[in-house]
Amino acid sequence: MEKRLRSSLQSSAEEFLSSATKLGFKSAKSSLKSLIHNIAHSSGLSSSLPLSLHRSISQSIVRFKQVSHPTNGGPTKSPKSPPTKRRRRSARYAKNSDDSGKNDREAELVSDRKGLIQKLQIYTYVALLCVSHPKKVFSPSDLFPAVRELHDNLILFEADSVLLSEIASLCEEWWKEELPGREALISLSLPFLLSRSLTMKKKVDVHRVYVLREAFTSFDFEDESIEDLKLLLIRCLIAPLYLKMEDGRKFIAFMFGLSGQLLREALAMIRSQIPFGRKSMLEAYADIVFRAWRLVDGSLQSEIENGFLQGLIEGAIHASSAPLAASIRRVLGGFIIHRTMDGVEKLLFRLAEPVIFRSLQVANSNVRQNALHLLLDMFPLEDPDCTKEIKDTLLDKQFFLLERLLMDECPDVRGVAVEGSCRILNLFWEIIPSSTITKIITKIFDDMTHDSYNEVRLSTLNGIIYLLGNPQSHEILKVLIPRVGHLILDPAFSIRAALVDLLLLLRDIRTFQFHKVVPLEVLLSTLADDQPLIAQKITKLLMPSYFPSKVTVEEACNRCATLIKRSPMAGARFCEFAVLEGASLQSLMVLFKVFINLAMSPSMLDRDQIGGLLIAAAYLCRNLVSEASYKANLKQFLSVGKLRCLFGAAATGHAQSSVCDIISCISPDDIGDLFEECMALVTNCCGLSENIERQIEVRSAHMMMLSCNLFDEMLEMMTRLLRETAQACHANFGTEIGNHDAISAKRRKIKSIKISTKRKHVGVKNSSNKATSAFEENYSIALGIAWQIKDLLIDEKTQKAVLDSPILEIAFFALKVISEVSIVQCMHCDYVDTCPVLAYTALTLYMSLQNVTITGTDNHGTKRRACTDSAGSSLKASDFFTQHFLLKII
């Protein structure tokens, strides 16, 4: 290919161009570049090639116009031979023949246009190679006619993006080379490149537009024909790519200086976008306006200062909402962050001083708050050209207003004032008089920390955290910070969390000791009782003291055990979050074994300490079983004998439920006679519906039974207690109890279990010394069992176990009887409760949803899933509920 082109190049320029057009555009590009860039000054092609290129381009454009508009075009082709006599044809045949001829002509025109486009692509690329020739062997005056012809007909080729791009690149190169006549090559190419950058959204196109920015000065922006270009320029203000790229922002800033009218329209567009703009967009506008202000001068700069910026300052003060005021200040931030540059601070003072001090003292609290925000952003507001005395007077005025606003009647203003004052002290501590510092900081610690509004107290803590960023403030803060320690007991969660964040910051500063701000006992009490997020933060605070990573594991375990002995519940919560704060599972495994060994040798420990050890061990166990290797190790370590010993050592319900949690985590193959011991947590359920702590303990026992495959046995014992109460209901109130034979037959199918008649009442105090009747005691237990059944139906795992239980029907009928008595006797007996009714209806609902059937009063004694073709007397639970319960009540 290259040899053929080289040989045609040696013949003539026309032959070279003709050969080049016979090749594909993409395939010929590399060959054309090497051949044309090797042409020397002495070659005749340096003068003939531009002339031939111009002729070829002109001819191709004329021909393209003809094929694009054939009806308006030039001469028609002469027939090659005289027309022959036409045969007569039918109308249908004539119509089909005409359509076929028309289609052929259209196909021929399309083919011609495609061929001409390919030729023009080659010609344009050749022209570009001539313009960019490294040795500049081609005269620009010879090339200009061809380049201009391509540019002037740019719109003609709008259907072909490749050719348009090539022509635009050619005109771009001509401009960048500063060749003669370049102003004549931008009227069409520059709008095309600008439009392309907005539609294609490529960074390279934005960069190209920025490089050609000086070309836009050649346009007359006062002429009406420029409106389309102005619309494209305005679109750049809302194009994300232009706002994101530095070249894009620089171009928009340059655009502001093209015309006064364009500047006003652009500023109006920015103003309209402020209420809805995202943070990144507003910051881009801030950068653009500041760049534009530096680039322009005269009336255009005055328009930005007195029209746009003055309006923004007034808008920021009188904004109807805080978000709008913040958005306006973000645009003003483009000047505020560059206040050290020449002329910026004086400009801000001139625009803001007349309105900001007056607005800080008006009756409208929103205006005061907005003006305060603006003052804090611009602080210190001063005229750089004034004398020191005037500056000091103005600075004193600003501090006076800040102190006044600290005691403002509006809590929102006080919150902004206290946080802003701390920020000012942090930034300008060195230059603020010590008397002023003392006055402000004393008011913050003595008054603002006791403010009646949560937001003000929270702002105070945030401000103190910010103030600690200046090391020169530490000496005075070391004395004052203990005054905020009472906020650890603040009723607001956010304030307690902020105070712990402050303590975490103080822990990492050598000159401070966090336990002097909040006593350790108060910290441990908060750790034991507060919400998880705060407990986790306190755990992070205490980790270096009670489970440090820089000492041996044995020493760390001893420290943690000491913590539990000092405050059992705080130590347990500490272990709950230790893994989240960086403790390794390996070290926690050692800690778990230490706790178990201590709990099994309780001679030197009281019941609360043993309880704390067991609760902490349960928390550790939950974290350790997340890895299979540690779970196997735990299962091997905790034998049945150890578990029995642990349960025996547990003297509180919470401690016993923690042992149940440990058993649930490791799922041992056998728990021996622990079943009877753990069942005490389930059967000792008087007053369960109102005791949240006991509910947690009971749930632990449920999950233990489920993990140890003893759930059916637990449910049988609960059902027996319900059955006893149902029989008592029959004896006392004559309530129908159903077919005893069928229920007895079902009970014989269940494995008999030895049940201890001695019930352990753990953690339940007798509310009265009066003896209750046997029925009331049974009914009270049934209430607790009913609550447990309803609770078991909530969790997906226990719900499935209940519905799959072979003794579900017994519980169902027993609850039915107790529910009937509860409804009928609710107006006569004070001890009657709704728990049985709620449990019965919940059980009915879940049985219906899962298509569980009951046998009713037949003698089969079976429970099964409902089938569409089942026969016999089986009923869905919902049907039974309707027939045997609601009808009886009515």
Side-chain angles (χ1 to χ4, degrees):
M1 178 192 303
E2 188 172 350
K3 290 182 179 180
R4 187 183 307 169
L5 281 175
R6 190 180 300 277
S7 121
S8 62
L9 188 62
Q10 295 173 355
S11 300
S12 64
E14 290 81 359
E15 183 67 22
F16 171 71
L17 293 174
S18 176
S19 300
T21 55
K22 294 176 182 178
L23 304 175
F25 175 58
K26 293 183 179 180
S27 58
K29 289 180 72 173
S30 60
S31 301
L32 288 173
K33 183 176 181 179
S34 62
L35 291 174
I36 293 178
H37 282 184
N38 286 328
I39 297 177
H41 283 280
S42 57
S43 174
L45 289 171
S46 60
S47 58
S48 62
L49 184 58
L51 299 177
S52 299
L53 188 61
H54 181 212
R55 283 195 300 271
S56 299
I57 290 173
S58 299
Q59 293 171 1
S60 297
I61 291 176
V62 170
R63 178 58 184 157
F64 186 84
K65 291 178 179 178
Q66 292 175 352
V67 300
S68 298
H69 308 285
T71 56
N72 306 328
T76 58
K77 292 183 179 180
S78 299
K80 295 182 179 180
S81 59
T84 57
K85 184 178 181 180
R86 293 185 298 172
R87 294 176 297 176
R88 296 183 61 184
R89 299 177 177 87
S90 65
R92 178 182 299 177
Y93 181 84
K95 183 177 179 180
N96 292 340
S97 177
D98 291 344
D99 290 343
S100 176
K102 183 178 180 181
N103 292 336
D104 291 342
R105 286 194 298 273
E106 289 180 354
E108 183 180 354
L109 291 175
V110 169
S111 178
D112 288 347
R113 283 197 295 269
K114 185 177 179 181
L116 290 169
I117 288 292
Q118 291 179 351
K119 287 184 178 181
L120 287 169
Q121 290 174 355
I122 295 289
Y123 297 153
T124 305
Y125 185 65
V126 170
L128 178 61
L129 293 174
C130 293
V131 172
S132 61
H133 195 286
K135 297 181 181 179
K136 308 299 179 186
V137 301
F138 298 98
S139 170
S141 59
D142 294 340
L143 289 170
F144 182 74
V147 176
R148 180 162 187 173
E149 182 125 16
L150 287 169
H151 170 268
D152 292 346
N153 290 278
L154 189 67
I155 299 177
L156 191 63
F157 313 119
E158 59 184 355
D160 188 82
S161 59
V162 176
L163 181 56
L164 287 174
S165 180
E166 290 296 325
I167 295 175
S169 298
L170 174 60
C171 298
E172 177 186 6
E173 185 66 22
W174 194 278
W175 179 272
K176 288 161 64 175
E177 294 291 336
E178 299 183 0
L179 299 178
R182 62 176 186 166
E183 293 79 7
L185 302 179
I186 60 171
S187 59
L188 297 177
S189 62
L190 207 55
F192 167 76
L193 286 173
L194 184 59
S195 175
R196 177 187 173 91
S197 68
L198 292 169
T199 54
M200 300 300 291
K201 301 177 182 178
K202 293 183 177 180
K203 293 183 178 181
V204 63
D205 291 327
V206 175
H207 177 71
R208 292 170 69 183
V209 171
Y210 172 69
V211 171
L212 296 174
R213 63 191 179 281
E214 294 293 340
F216 286 89
T217 59
S218 301
F219 291 100
D220 181 6
F221 283 91
E222 305 302 325
D223 191 271
E224 294 181 357
S225 62
I226 206 69
E227 288 301 317
D228 290 339
L229 179 59
K230 287 171 66 175
L231 290 176
L232 289 175
L233 292 172
I234 295 296
R235 276 182 59 190
C236 296
L237 281 165
I238 56 174
L241 187 59
Y242 270 85
L243 299 178
K244 180 180 179 181
M245 291 182 60
E246 184 177 5
D247 283 349
R249 296 193 298 272
K250 288 181 178 179
F251 172 74
I252 297 175
F254 175 83
M255 177 190 79
F256 279 34
L258 294 176
S259 161
Q261 181 61 28
L262 183 62
L263 171 67
R264 287 186 287 272
E265 292 181 12
L267 293 176
M269 174 64 77
I270 291 177
R271 270 193 295 266
S272 68
Q273 294 297 310
I274 289 176
F276 319 104
R278 298 185 302 274
K279 177 183 176 182
S280 58
M281 175 182 284
L282 297 176
E283 290 176 349
Y285 286 152
D287 182 45
I288 288 168
V289 175
F290 178 73
R291 290 176 185 271
W293 176 79
R294 293 188 63 197
L295 287 173
V296 301
D297 53 16
S299 61
L300 296 182
Q301 192 175 70
S302 177
E303 181 70 29
I304 294 177
E305 294 175 358
N306 302 322
F308 183 73
L309 291 179
Q310 186 70 67
L312 286 186
I313 290 175
E314 294 175 358
I317 293 175
H318 298 96
S320 58
S321 65
L324 176 59
S327 297
I328 297 174
R329 291 196 304 273
R330 188 161 279 123
V331 177
L332 284 170
F335 285 81
I336 295 173
I337 62 176
H338 294 103
R339 61 188 305 167
T340 57
M341 299 185 68
D342 186 36
V344 177
E345 188 167 17
K346 187 172 182 65
L347 170 65
L348 292 175
F349 177 80
R350 178 173 64 83
L351 297 177
E353 191 271 340
V355 293
I356 197 168
F357 292 128
R358 181 175 68 250
S359 300
L360 287 170
Q361 304 174 70
V362 298
N364 190 317
S365 62
N366 288 332
V367 174
R368 294 200 305 275
Q369 183 178 353
N370 292 337
L372 177 57
H373 274 297
L374 193 58
L375 174 63
L376 294 173
D377 288 345
M378 294 184 174
F379 188 91
L381 190 62
E382 61 183 15
D383 186 351
D385 297 336
C386 289
T387 62
K388 185 178 184 302
E389 290 75 14
I390 296 178
K391 289 182 180 180
D392 290 342
T393 302
L394 188 60
L395 190 62
D396 291 340
K397 182 179 181 181
Q398 294 174 61
F399 279 119
F400 169 77
L401 291 172
L402 279 176
E403 293 175 29
R404 181 177 175 179
L405 292 170
L406 284 172
M407 308 307 295
D408 195 275
E409 62 181 15
C410 176
D412 291 334
V413 176
R414 295 200 302 274
V416 175
V418 64
E419 199 164 345
S421 297
C422 290
R423 190 180 75 178
I424 289 173
L425 292 176
N426 173 47
L427 295 175
F428 305 101
W429 184 280
E430 297 83 353
I431 62 174
I432 299 175
S434 58
S435 59
T436 303
I437 293 176
T438 303
K439 190 185 301 183
I440 293 177
I441 208 167
T442 302
K443 185 171 292 187
I444 289 174
F445 279 90
D446 289 347
D447 298 334
M448 311 308 290
T449 57
H450 296 276
D451 196 278
S452 58
Y453 282 84
N454 297 343
E455 294 78 6
V456 179
R457 299 196 302 277
L458 180 60
S459 296
T460 302
L461 289 176
N462 291 334
I464 294 171
I465 291 173
Y466 194 87
L467 184 55
L468 282 167
N470 190 326
Q472 296 193 24
S473 68
H474 292 179
E475 184 176 354
I476 188 172
L477 290 179
K478 188 176 180 180
V479 178
L480 294 175
I481 280 184
R483 299 184 187 181
V484 304
H486 67 280
L487 294 177
I488 191 66
L489 302 176
D490 195 278
F493 169 82
S494 59
I495 295 173
R496 299 197 305 275
L499 183 67
V500 181
D501 289 334
L502 174 61
L503 296 179
L504 286 167
L505 181 60
L506 295 177
R507 185 195 67 180
D508 298 330
I509 302 176
R510 289 187 176 183
T511 55
F512 289 89
Q513 294 177 330
F514 66 85
H515 55 81
K516 290 187 177 180
V517 179
V518 178
L520 186 57
E521 292 302 325
V522 178
L523 269 179
L524 295 180
S525 175
T526 306
L527 173 60
D529 301 328
D530 215 323
Q531 297 185 37
L533 180 60
I534 293 178
Q536 183 178 345
K537 289 175 180 287
I538 296 177
T539 300
K540 182 178 181 180
L541 180 68
L542 299 177
M543 279 289 285
S545 300
Y546 289 105
F547 204 72
S549 59
K550 296 181 179 180
V551 300
T552 62
V553 177
E554 291 75 12
E555 174 64 21
C557 292
N558 290 335
R559 292 192 187 187
C560 193
T562 302
L563 174 61
I564 291 182
K565 292 175 183 178
R566 179 172 184 170
S567 178
M569 285 309 302
R573 293 294 298 280
F574 179 87
C575 294
E576 180 182 3
F577 301 106
V579 69
L580 297 177
E581 297 304 330
S584 66
L585 292 180
Q586 184 177 2
S587 61
L588 293 181
M589 184 68 188
V590 178
L591 183 62
F592 176 83
K593 292 180 178 180
V594 169
F595 287 170
I596 296 299
N597 292 331
L598 285 174
M600 291 194 316
S601 54
S603 57
M604 302 296 294
L605 304 173
D606 59 31
R607 56 181 287 171
D608 291 336
Q609 291 172 337
I610 295 173
L613 288 170
L614 293 175
I615 296 168
Y619 285 136
L620 294 175
C621 191
R622 290 175 189 170
N623 292 320
L624 290 169
V625 295
S626 59
E627 289 195 14
S629 59
Y630 289 105
K631 183 175 182 179
N633 196 347
L634 288 171
K635 194 171 183 179
Q636 182 180 4
F637 173 72
L638 294 171
S639 62
V640 176
K642 286 184 179 179
L643 293 174
R644 188 185 302 110
C645 182
L646 292 175
F647 200 87
T652 64
H654 197 175
Q656 290 179 353
S657 68
S658 297
V659 177
C660 293
D661 289 337
I662 294 173
I663 297 173
S664 300
C665 290
I666 64 174
S667 303
D669 299 329
D670 181 31
I671 61 172
D673 56 1
L674 270 178
F675 173 77
E676 295 181 15
E677 299 292 333
C678 294
M679 275 304 301
L681 293 173
V682 177
T683 58
N684 184 26
C685 55
C686 296
L688 181 62
S689 62
E690 298 176 355
N691 192 328
I692 296 177
E693 291 184 2
R694 288 282 295 117
Q695 291 172 9
I696 297 173
E697 297 165 8
V698 166
R699 290 190 182 105
S700 298
H702 292 165
M703 297 309 297
M704 187 207 77
M705 297 299 182
L706 184 64
S707 65
C708 296
N709 297 321
L710 293 172
F711 191 86
D712 285 340
E713 287 80 352
M714 179 193 73
L715 194 59
E716 181 192 2
M717 185 174 290
M718 295 167 63
T719 304
R720 288 183 185 180
L721 295 175
L722 288 176
R723 181 63 181 168
E724 290 175 7
T725 305
Q727 289 173 344
C729 289
H730 172 70
N732 285 301
F733 304 106
T735 308
E736 181 181 351
I737 199 170
N739 192 324
H740 297 273
D741 295 335
I743 296 176
S744 299
K746 177 176 289 295
R747 292 177 65 186
R748 284 194 295 270
K749 294 180 181 180
I750 305 301
K751 178 183 177 182
S752 178
I753 298 178
K754 180 181 179 182
I755 304 175
S756 175
T757 57
K758 182 180 179 182
R759 293 181 185 140
K760 296 175 67 176
H761 296 272
V762 182
V764 177
K765 296 181 180 179
N766 293 327
S767 61
S768 175
N769 292 326
K770 287 185 177 182
T772 59
S773 67
F775 175 76
E776 290 180 7
E777 182 180 357
N778 287 338
Y779 185 82
S780 178
I781 295 173
L783 292 181
I785 299 296
W787 183 92
Q788 292 182 64
I789 290 177
K790 183 171 71 70
D791 190 69
L792 288 169
L793 292 171
I794 296 175
D795 185 84
E796 185 177 352
K797 293 180 180 179
T798 54
Q799 177 197 127
K800 185 177 185 302
V802 170
L803 297 180
D804 289 343
S805 175
I807 58 170
L808 175 63
E809 184 180 342
I810 304 174
F812 181 82
F813 281 108
L815 280 173
K816 165 188 169 296
V817 173
I818 300 171
S819 298
E820 289 181 8
V821 170
S822 298
I823 293 175
V824 174
Q825 300 298 324
C826 64
M827 301 297 294
H828 307 290
C829 304
D830 294 337
Y831 57 82
V832 171
D833 195 82
T834 59
C835 277
V837 180
L838 295 175
Y840 180 64
T841 53
L843 185 59
T844 302
L845 175 62
Y846 282 104
M847 290 172 67
S848 300
L849 291 174
Q850 299 298 326
N851 293 328
V852 178
T853 60
I854 54 177
T855 57
T857 58
D858 65 1
N859 294 324
H860 298 289
T862 59
K863 181 266 303 180
R864 60 189 175 190
R865 298 283 179 181
C867 302
T868 56
D869 59 346
S870 60
S873 60
S874 296
L875 296 172
K876 283 190 177 181
S878 57
D879 299 332
F880 191 89
F881 177 81
T882 303
Q883 296 177 20
H884 296 274
F885 186 47
L886 295 180
L887 294 178
K888 185 165 292 196
I889 295 174
I890 295 172

